[in-house]
Amino acid sequence: RRRTSSSVAMMVTRQTNMWRAWLGLNISHGLGALFFGLTYLSIAEFDFELLVRVPPLLYLAPFMALCYVILSIKYWFNVPIVGTSIGLACFVAGVVVS
């Protein structure tokens, strides 16, 4: 039986193919977004005054959240758009409250 090009995984290197590289990229970026959110949640929970004392930390959060919203709209689907938009709203509210 002859294999078609659609049934053969495109190799990136001898160790990985395109599918594994794609999965790794998405998982690593998902973990990065999760770490970002949890880090700011922890700072806000345990030492909110740190965010007030260090303005770059305070303003970096909504900026990064906005970047995630833009990525969601351009490349993802509705669930991430809703989630990142809620996150952005929370970060903006945190800046306004501080």
Side-chain angles (χ1 to χ4, degrees), residues 6-7 9 17 20 29-30 39 50 55 60 64 72 75 79 89-90 95:
S6 63
S7 67
N17 59 34
R20 290 174 54 106
H29 282 69
T39 298
L50 174 66
L60 179 63
M64 287 299 297
S72 297
Y75 298 109
V79 173
C90 290
V95 170

Side-chain angles (χ1 to χ4, degrees), residues 15-31:
Q15 292 83 24
T16 194
N17 59 34
M18 212 47 183
W19 175 247
R20 290 174 54 106
W22 181 251
L23 282 177
L25 175 85
N26 285 290
I27 292 168
S28 68
H29 282 69
L31 288 172

Side-chain angles (χ1 to χ4, degrees):
R1 182 176 144 170
R2 187 171 176 190
R3 297 176 81 175
T4 63
S5 62
S6 63
S7 67
V8 177
M10 189 165 80
M11 297 302 292
V12 176
T13 68
R14 290 183 184 175
Q15 292 83 24
T16 194
N17 59 34
M18 212 47 183
W19 175 247
R20 290 174 54 106
W22 181 251
L23 282 177
L25 175 85
N26 285 290
I27 292 168
S28 68
H29 282 69
L31 288 172
L34 182 64
F35 181 76
F36 169 76
L38 290 176
T39 298
Y40 270 88
L41 179 63
S42 298
I43 293 171
E45 177 73 23
F46 298 110
D47 192 7
F48 187 76
E49 290 302 314
L50 174 66
L51 293 174
V52 176
R53 286 191 318 266
V54 184
L57 283 178
L58 185 64
Y59 297 113
L60 179 63
F63 172 75
M64 287 299 297
L66 177 63
C67 291
Y68 279 117
V69 169
I70 292 168
L71 286 171
S72 297
I73 292 168
K74 186 151 176 74
Y75 298 109
W76 299 338
F77 50 96
N78 289 341
V79 173
I81 293 170
V82 170
T84 56
S85 297
I86 291 170
L88 174 61
C90 290
F91 282 123
V92 169
V95 170
V96 170
V97 168
S98 67

